[in-house]
């Protein structure tokens, strides 16, 4: 007798691309949790880091001491 160790993954609707996925991230906001699929979440993180990197406060510096 073999056990079935696979969990039943729930499908959620991604808030950005409106596609159902079982590979998702929960993002906490002031209004509650939202669900983003893996691709949308990773693109959002990359864009957020790019925006922070080129902000007028850092001007492309690694830290504020430079």
């Amino acid at each position: 007798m073999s056990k079935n160790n696979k969990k039943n993954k729930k499908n959620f609707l991604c808030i950005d691309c409106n596609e159902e996925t079982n590979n998702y991230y929960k993002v906490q906001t002031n209004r509650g949790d939202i669900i983003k699929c893996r691709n949308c979440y990773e693109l959002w993180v990359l864009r957020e880091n790019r925006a922070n990197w080129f902000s007028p406060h850092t001007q492309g510096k690694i830290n504020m001491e430079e």
Side-chain angles (χ1 to χ4, degrees):
M1 296 192 308
S2 64
K3 288 187 176 181
N4 188 2
N5 291 331
K6 294 182 181 179
K7 292 183 179 179
N8 291 333
K9 291 189 175 185
K10 295 181 181 178
N11 284 341
F12 288 102
L13 189 65
C14 176
I15 195 167
D16 290 339
C17 64
N18 294 325
E19 293 183 11
E20 286 195 18
T21 181
N22 61 1
N23 191 3
Y24 60 89
Y25 289 92
K26 278 189 176 180
V27 180
Q28 295 179 348
T29 63
N30 291 338
R31 294 185 176 192
D33 294 340
I34 58 173
I35 304 294
K36 290 189 178 198
C37 66
R38 183 184 63 85
N39 291 335
C40 292
Y41 179 80
E42 290 175 356
L43 286 174
W44 174 72
V45 169
L46 288 173
R47 290 177 184 141
E48 186 69 24
N49 285 336
R50 187 180 332 139
N52 289 339
W53 178 257
F54 291 111
S55 71
H57 301 291
T58 60
Q59 297 169 348
K61 297 177 183 177
I62 296 173
N63 56 25
M64 297 305 288
E65 296 175 358
E66 290 182 355

